[in-house]
Amino acid sequence: MYAIVEIAGHQYKVQKDQRIYVNRLEGEAGAKVSFDRVLLTDDNGKVEVGAPVIEGVAVKATILEHLKADKVIIFKKKRRKGYKVKNGHRQAITSIQIEGIGKGTAKKAAPKKAEAKTEEAATEKKAAAKKPAAKKTTAKKADSAKAEAKPAAKKPAAKKPAAKKPAAKKADDKKSEE
């Protein structure tokens, strides 16, 4: 029997007693963990596919140790510019041992949350039904205020063109130059 399970954002094909390395998980070494995002199970040819997950099926595992993966080198270079940068890092990972795959951790808390959500939705609908009535009265007041403000607004007066110099002055200027 094997399963495809989503662990820490990645999908893994797991079997019982398999040891795998996953992204860092919270918890101490020796702690038991359970993953309920099972996407597919295969039990001796009987395949069950989730949409998107299979409800009631979980993968149980034990954290063996926390460690770092091999070093990854990042090298950047720009030709003919004299630019070279070398960096690297070691990803934090967790080693886990798969204890078993099977039914057992059905989500019993989900119906309670659903009931609470439906109750909250009902109270929100009641509150929403009351609020629009109040908004309508304020909208009428705003419309009447706009209607009153429109006739009071006046257009600015047109600007008068600048006065031209009289022709006599031009003639006087020519005489003074001589």
Side-chain angles (χ1 to χ4, degrees), residues 14-122:
V14 297
Q15 295 177 348
K16 186 177 179 185
D17 298 327
Q18 182 182 9
R19 182 177 178 175
I20 60 171
Y21 297 97
V22 298
N23 284 342
R24 178 67 57 102
L25 298 175
E26 291 187 22
E28 298 295 324
K32 304 281 185 187
V33 290
S34 179
F35 307 105
D36 60 349
R37 293 203 40 93
V38 179
L39 307 173
L40 179 140
T41 59
D42 183 5
D43 189 12
N44 298 324
K46 182 182 175 192
V47 178
E48 186 178 353
V49 179
V53 296
I54 302 171
E55 297 295 326
V57 177
V59 174
K60 296 176 183 78
T62 304
I63 296 176
L64 298 177
E65 61 182 332
H66 297 292
L67 52 135
K68 288 187 176 183
D70 294 334
K71 191 167 198 173
V72 178
I73 304 296
I74 296 98
F75 183 73
K76 299 178 184 178
K77 178 182 177 180
K78 295 190 179 182
R79 299 184 318 160
R80 299 182 299 274
K81 307 293 183 211
Y83 175 78
K84 293 180 186 178
V85 175
K86 182 180 177 182
N87 283 321
H89 75 281
R90 294 182 69 188
Q91 190 71 29
I93 60 173
T94 300
S95 174
I96 61 173
Q97 175 89 27
I98 304 299
E99 299 296 323
I101 303 166
K103 302 186 186 319
T105 57
K107 293 185 180 180
K108 295 178 182 175
K112 292 179 183 177
K113 289 181 182 178
E115 289 173 7
K117 287 182 182 179
T118 56
E119 290 174 9
E120 289 176 12

Side-chain angles (χ1 to χ4, degrees), residues 164-177:
K164 295 181 180 177
K165 289 185 180 180
K169 273 191 172 180
K170 288 182 183 176
D172 291 337
D173 289 339
K174 288 182 182 176
K175 290 181 183 176
S176 62
E177 287 178 7

